[in-house]
């Protein structure tokens, strides 16, 4: 399948002249800066936040590129992955005309972003084991299908998606294929970031929100061909990542060699959590997880959800979601948090506080 980026884009995008910021027109670091209407004094707190940040986050990209095995020009950074999702829809999908494909049950933001942008959604459900139906996906696509969103490891099911299915779709889907790897650091599956040069229609999303522990900063990554990244840079708000966020991300990247230990701790907590949850009579199934959460099939999921809330333990009730009947999604916490959850569940089960029908 030949991939023609120009043809896939909304036609007017190619004619857009980018906003030229003061930092675009002069990017040197030294001098007397009287070009951006900034305040020459520090903020009231004394902190030096008075200057606009680097609009292209070049220091982060230079550090990140070798870690991810890509070139700096293949990286886009957004205000969360959610910004990349929204920008992709605005770049490729004509409101009221084009559509995206999603594979439920999956991450909710694809749908929300499509709705906001008035883009139709074609849904091709996953199988009962949460794997893809590649032929059905191709059959469902039409001439106006612009983006296919594949989430692997998938949220809320936690499984990794068969690599051969993703490769088949990269070769055959007529539009852009987004592989959302928000949870890839918790998986033994290699990332698709190193396959960018083989697939011009591939965009890989990752995030600093999960394994890196920086959800509060709001910063997500997108990796794709330089041509696609140029489009995202063209239409993004100029200063989409604050300078404070950039600094904090750089501080974390400087300690990247400690990340595997942090991840390992969560994986160990996950293994223990799964083992202990399996001891509970109400737990019917725990789906294999390649993420920092587990999907748990449990009798009376909604009653469990509410009973746990009563004890100020908050999990996610997914029981109304396609293929997730009777399921709770439980994020792996600290060893202490997980123990508190398990103690609470044991107590509830023993005291039959809720009707479990055991
Ligand atoms: C958490 C999550 C993200 C991350 O979103 P951010 O906006 O970067 O915090 C992206 N995709 C999926 C599937 C997620 O679960």
């Amino acid at each position: 399948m030949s991939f023609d980026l120009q043809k896939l884009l909304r036609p007017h995008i190619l004619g857009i002249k980018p906003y030229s910021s003061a930092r675009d027109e002069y990017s040197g670091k030294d001098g007397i800066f009287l070009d951006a209407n900034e305040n020459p004094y520090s903020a009231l707190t004394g902190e030096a936040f008075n200057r606009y940040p680097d609009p292209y986050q070049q220091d982060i990209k230079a550090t990140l590129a070798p870690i991810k095995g890509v070139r700096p020009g293949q990286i886009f950074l957004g205000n969360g992955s959610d910004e990349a999702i929204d920008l992709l829809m605005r770049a490729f999908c004509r409101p009221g005309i084009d559509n995206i494909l999603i594979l439920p049950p999956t991450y909710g933001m694809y749908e929300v972003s499509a709705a906001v942008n008035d883009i139709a959604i074609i849904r091709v459900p996953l199988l009962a084991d949460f794997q893809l139906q590649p032929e059905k996906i191709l059959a469902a696509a039409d001439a106006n299908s612009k983006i296919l969103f594949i989430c692997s490891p998938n949220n809320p099911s936690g499984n990794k998606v068969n690599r051969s299915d993703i490769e088949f779709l990269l070769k055959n889907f007529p539009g852009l294929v987004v592989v959302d790897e928000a949870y890839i650091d918790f998986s033994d599956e290699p990332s698709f970031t190193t396959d960018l040069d083989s697939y011009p229609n591939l965009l890989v999303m990752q995030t600093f929100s999960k394994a890196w522990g920086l959800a509060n900063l709001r910063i997500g990554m997108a990796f794709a061909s330089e041509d696609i990244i140029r489009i995202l840079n063209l239409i993004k708000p100029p200063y989409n990542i604050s300078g404070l966020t950039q600094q904090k991300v750089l501080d974390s990247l400087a300690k990247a060699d400690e990340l595997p230990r942090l991840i390992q701790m969560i994986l160990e907590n996950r293994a223990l959590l799964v083992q202990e949850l399996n001891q509970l009579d109400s737990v019917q199934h725990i789906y294999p997880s390649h993420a920092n959460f587990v999907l748990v099939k449990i009798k009376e999921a909604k009653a469990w959800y509410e009973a746990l809330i009563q004890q100020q333990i908050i999990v996610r009730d997914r029981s109304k979601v396609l293929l997730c009947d009777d399921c709770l999604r439980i994020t792996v916490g600290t060893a202490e948090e997980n123990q508190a959850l398990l103690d609470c569940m044991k107590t509830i089960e023993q005291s039959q506080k809720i009707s479990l029908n055991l």
Side-chain angles (χ1 to χ4, degrees):
M1 179 74 51
S2 76
F3 177 73
D4 186 342
L5 178 61
Q6 312 252 327
K7 238 175 88 185
L8 202 68
L9 284 166
R10 291 166 72 188
H12 76 282
I13 294 284
L14 292 165
I16 293 178
K17 270 186 48 196
Y19 172 77
S20 186
S21 71
R23 286 292 75 75
D24 283 324
E25 288 174 17
Y26 181 85
S27 58
K29 286 205 163 129
D30 302 313
I32 296 174
F33 288 95
L34 305 175
D35 59 348
N37 297 350
E38 296 153 338
N39 192 318
Y41 304 106
S42 295
L44 299 177
T45 57
E47 289 162 298
F49 292 146
N50 51 319
R51 301 293 178 185
Y52 282 102
D54 174 4
Y56 300 111
Q57 311 94 24
Q58 293 168 90
D59 292 343
I60 297 179
K61 289 176 186 173
T63 315
L64 198 54
I67 294 177
K68 298 295 179 184
V70 302
R71 298 181 290 279
Q74 293 176 306
I75 306 175
F76 169 83
L77 298 173
N79 184 1
S81 308
D82 298 343
E83 183 175 32
I85 295 170
D86 182 68
L87 290 174
L88 286 171
M89 298 209 189
R90 289 200 276 155
F92 290 99
C93 304
R94 293 167 294 179
I97 301 173
D98 290 329
N99 64 69
I100 61 159
L101 274 80
I102 64 169
L103 317 175
T106 194
Y107 186 47
M109 271 313 290
Y110 316 137
E111 195 157 338
V112 170
S113 205
V116 168
N117 288 295
D118 188 22
I119 294 158
I121 299 168
I122 295 177
R123 294 175 183 78
V124 184
L126 298 174
L127 296 164
D129 62 356
F130 301 113
Q131 290 299 328
L132 312 185
Q133 309 194 68
E135 298 289 355
K136 282 209 173 139
I137 293 168
L138 287 188
D142 62 32
N144 294 326
S145 297
K146 295 299 170 75
I147 313 176
L148 165 64
F149 286 92
I150 301 172
C151 189
S152 180
N154 187 44
N155 178 4
S157 50
N159 61 297
K160 62 177 175 182
V161 171
N162 291 334
R163 198 172 187 85
S164 54
D165 288 347
I166 299 178
E167 286 166 349
F168 172 82
L169 288 163
L170 281 165
K171 287 179 190 139
N172 294 288
F173 184 75
L176 187 72
V177 177
V178 173
V179 181
D180 186 344
E181 295 185 339
Y183 299 98
I184 193 72
D185 300 300
F186 301 107
S187 174
D188 54 19
E189 183 73 13
S191 167
F192 269 94
T193 47
T194 47
D195 296 286
L196 291 178
D197 289 335
S198 312
Y199 302 109
N201 58 337
L202 168 64
L203 183 138
V204 179
M205 291 199 305
Q206 294 184 6
T207 181
F208 284 98
S209 296
K210 309 284 158 62
W212 290 88
L214 296 173
N216 189 274
L217 294 182
R218 309 306 304 127
I219 180 163
M221 305 164 246
F223 306 94
S225 71
E226 276 99 341
D227 287 342
I228 293 175
I229 297 303
R230 259 193 294 277
I231 299 292
L232 296 178
N233 282 333
L234 173 73
I235 64 174
K236 81 182 181 75
Y239 302 109
N240 59 328
I241 309 287
S242 82
L244 186 60
T245 295
Q246 293 188 40
Q247 191 50 57
K248 293 294 175 189
V249 169
L250 279 170
D251 292 349
S252 281
L253 285 171
K255 298 185 169 206
D257 57 336
E258 293 173 38
L259 188 66
R261 192 187 48 86
L262 180 59
I263 292 168
Q264 190 52 35
M265 203 155 65
I266 292 172
L267 295 185
E268 282 165 18
N269 292 353
R270 183 182 74 191
L272 198 62
L273 177 66
V274 168
Q275 185 187 320
E276 293 295 313
L277 282 170
N278 265 321
Q279 306 299 313
L280 295 169
D281 292 326
S282 343
V283 169
Q284 296 169 306
H285 184 61
I286 302 178
Y287 292 88
S289 171
H290 282 254
N292 66 336
F293 58 83
V294 283
L295 189 70
V296 180
K297 198 176 187 67
I298 187 167
K299 289 180 197 165
E300 308 289 343
K302 190 161 168 41
W304 270 110
Y305 170 75
E306 276 155 13
L308 287 170
I309 294 257
Q310 290 299 314
Q311 305 302 315
Q312 306 223 45
I313 296 177
I314 301 95
V315 299
R316 200 83 197 265
D317 177 13
R318 299 281 79 181
S319 57
K320 293 285 167 288
V321 170
L322 184 75
L323 300 176
C324 299
D325 295 348
D326 303 317
C327 283
L328 299 176
R329 193 195 69 191
I330 304 178
T331 305
V332 178
T334 63
E336 294 74 24
E337 289 171 334
N338 299 337
Q339 195 55 54
L341 167 78
L342 291 162
D343 290 346
C344 185
M345 289 183 80
K346 280 177 204 158
T347 308
I348 292 172
E349 202 164 69
Q350 277 156 18
S351 66
Q352 303 266 328
K353 265 193 208 149
I354 53 177
S355 150
L356 295 170
N357 304 320
L358 292 179

